[in-house]
Amino acid sequence: MPEINQNYNLLQKSYLFTDIAHKVAAYKKANPDHRVISLGIGDVTKPLVPAVIEALHAAVDEMGTAEHFHGYGPEQGYSFLREAVVREYMARGVSIAPDEVFIGDGAKSDIGNFQELLSADAVVAITDPVYPVYVDSNVMAGRAGAPLAGGGFERLVYLPCVRENNFVPDFPAKAPDIVYICSPNNPTGTVLDRDALTAWVRYARKHNCLILFDAAYEAFITDKDIPHSIYEIEGAQDVAVEFRSYSKLAGFTGLRCSATMVPHSLKVGDGRGGRVELNGLWNRRQCTKYNGCPYIVQRAAQAVHSKVGKSQVMKQVAGYLENAKALREGMAALGLEVYGGVNAPYIWVRTPNGMDSWGLFDHLLTKAQLVCTPGAGFGKSGEGYVRLTAFGTPEDTAEAIERLKGLSL
Ligand code: MLT
């Protein structure tokens, strides 16, 4: 009889957002008359913009003709999209080559998969709280060690991001091999400024560590001094892979498309005393395990980079940022301690009166029919906080605040 990959026995029973979905479904079943507002998982509510819909229609029509039909595409993505991504970087003064851009079916899968290029005994550092994919994908690969009684895993290095350090991770006592950084951050909604990012790039260069930089929320940056890409920091291309997504930028959570940048100058040990480019290895991995993002989706993503497409999606982003502002201000007016939501679509709220985060989740669900994400689900340092997303409709966002006003906290 085959046996499972034992690392799967180390995982928590279910993925955080699946857990929450089950709890909410059970509540809805028991209370069919209550309208539940979800500000839990960061899923978008605005439809695809006209430029994207037009590109999709045109691409679908192409696929119906023998002349323009597309079968298997390049595993790395079509050059029209890779080049559009390159131009996006150029506009911010960053030079990246088309063959350093890999189009994928979402930042979640790219980030989850990328770790498999690295050795099983590599030491991984993560910020805490953290997007669970970074942790779980390393647990699956056997890199995290045994679960600890108080939460977490023995071989992972945790870098707390809490109000006491302004949500900026301190350097670990001993340099890890890999560090995951997400800015604007999921879940705290805070950002790393140029100085903080520069310090991390210098640290990585000095200690030969690899930064896996998640820039999925860069479109939400409003402050002009905050870098949109780690490559805006000198020397970062030698130490960092960057992941970008169309999900939150352009409402592609159901369409799926991402771009992962793997510069040629980024080299790691080959296990035989030499050094090797991660670019070639990622290419090798993708060619074996992936047949490329669908042609019609890549045409839709290309439209996001057009002048008209960009202005349409950025209007939507601005709308979500309005929600973030309303949530921030509404919750602060209730006397709650609120972080994030300025350069990011997430609001990180401290639980009042020492309540724990699942306690506040239950309280909001049962008393206000409002879904949040408990901070503890993102790691030990997330305890004492909940996360709200700005991706709801403006109406639901306003109603959520009204419901909170009527609640004793
Ligand atoms: C979240 O709510 O953290 C995100 O929607 C999850 C994701 O992007 O996969």
Side-chain angles (χ1 to χ4, degrees):
M1 184 174 30
E3 286 196 349
I4 62 160
N5 170 351
Q6 288 299 300
N7 299 320
Y8 276 66
N9 283 328
L10 306 176
L11 291 166
Q12 280 178 322
K13 280 270 164 303
S14 105
Y15 184 59
L16 172 64
F17 293 107
T18 316
D19 245 9
I20 293 172
H22 287 155
K23 276 181 184 272
V24 173
Y27 178 82
K28 281 181 175 169
K29 195 167 172 213
N31 301 277
D33 303 335
H34 290 174
R35 194 175 82 82
V36 172
I37 294 178
S38 178
L39 301 182
I41 190 164
D43 198 2
V44 293
T45 50
K46 295 185 197 295
L48 296 170
V49 299
V52 166
I53 292 295
E54 226 173 85
L56 278 171
H57 280 304
V60 167
D61 287 344
E62 279 188 75
M63 292 293 275
T65 67
E67 207 186 342
H68 296 294
F69 170 76
H70 286 77
Y72 291 130
E75 293 87 349
Q76 309 79 2
Y78 285 99
S79 55
F80 62 78
L81 184 54
R82 299 175 95 186
E83 279 160 18
V85 172
V86 165
R87 284 194 292 276
E88 212 61 66
Y89 276 101
M90 264 163 59
R92 293 204 178 274
V94 172
S95 162
I96 190 131
D99 71 347
E100 295 174 316
V101 176
F102 292 83
I103 304 303
D105 65 358
K108 179 179 182 175
S109 19
D110 284 355
I111 295 174
N113 291 329
F114 202 88
Q115 51 72 33
E116 72 177 63
L117 303 189
L118 300 151
S119 80
D121 60 2
V123 175
V124 175
I126 51 153
T127 52
D128 175 22
V130 74
Y131 180 40
V133 173
Y134 313 157
V135 174
D136 288 0
S137 55
N138 279 290
V139 172
M140 290 169 180
R143 214 174 273 117
L148 297 169
F153 289 88
E154 69 177 345
R155 287 199 69 239
L156 294 183
V157 177
Y158 292 88
L159 310 175
C161 291
V162 287
R163 59 182 179 163
E164 289 75 13
N165 63 5
N166 258 326
F167 302 96
V168 177
D170 293 323
F171 300 119
K174 191 163 174 284
D177 298 302
I178 305 165
V179 58
Y180 287 82
I181 299 179
C182 176
S183 178
N185 188 259
N186 179 12
T188 65
T190 56
V191 278
L192 295 186
D193 64 16
R194 190 169 294 277
D195 287 347
L197 270 183
T198 303
W200 270 102
V201 168
R202 283 198 186 134
Y203 178 88
R205 291 177 68 87
K206 180 166 175 205
H207 298 283
N208 281 321
C209 83
L210 170 68
I211 298 177
L212 298 178
F213 188 75
D214 184 350
Y217 301 96
E218 60 79 30
F220 293 82
I221 294 173
T222 53
D223 183 335
K224 64 177 178 11
D225 296 329
I226 303 293
H228 285 240
S229 162
I230 194 162
Y231 302 139
E232 289 177 47
I233 310 299
E234 209 189 317
Q237 293 201 10
D238 302 339
V239 289
V241 174
E242 179 162 294
F243 302 91
R244 288 198 172 198
S245 167
Y246 293 84
S247 287
K248 316 296 159 75
L249 160 67
F252 276 41
T253 51
L255 210 51
R256 313 304 305 154
C257 194
S258 57
T260 289
M261 275 50 68
V262 193
H264 285 296
S265 59
L266 173 54
K267 296 187 180 139
V268 299
D270 66 0
R272 295 182 253 178
R275 282 163 82 78
V276 61
E277 284 187 18
L278 281 175
N279 180 291
L281 291 187
W282 182 241
N283 188 44
R284 183 71 179 82
R285 189 262 175 214
Q286 292 297 78
C287 290
T288 301
K289 296 194 178 181
Y290 184 54
N291 263 333
C293 178
Y295 172 73
I296 58 174
V297 174
Q298 293 194 54
R299 281 293 183 200
Q302 181 190 23
V304 173
H305 297 283
S306 69
K307 199 166 167 219
V308 54
K310 194 182 289 176
S311 101
Q312 291 169 353
V313 297
M314 288 315 288
K315 232 180 247 166
Q316 291 198 335
V317 166
Y320 290 133
L321 284 168
E322 282 295 311
N323 290 347
K325 184 168 186 273
L327 282 170
R328 259 190 307 120
E329 290 175 356
M331 301 197 83
L334 296 175
L336 293 164
E337 209 178 301
V338 184
Y339 301 94
V342 177
N343 293 293
Y346 295 121
I347 293 93
W348 192 236
V349 186
R350 194 147 172 83
T351 59
N353 308 318
M355 204 183 247
D356 72 33
S357 65
W358 278 104
L360 183 56
F361 169 89
D362 286 333
H363 189 66
L364 294 183
L365 179 60
T366 55
K367 300 287 187 288
Q369 293 72 52
L370 180 61
V371 182
C372 65
T373 308
F378 296 105
K380 232 171 152 172
S381 300
E383 184 52 277
Y385 295 87
V386 296
R387 190 195 77 175
L388 294 172
T389 97
F391 289 120
T393 62
E395 297 76 21
D396 276 357
T397 305
E399 189 174 334
I401 296 163
E402 284 311 307
R403 288 186 188 183
L404 285 170
K405 281 185 193 161
L407 202 65
S408 72
L409 284 169

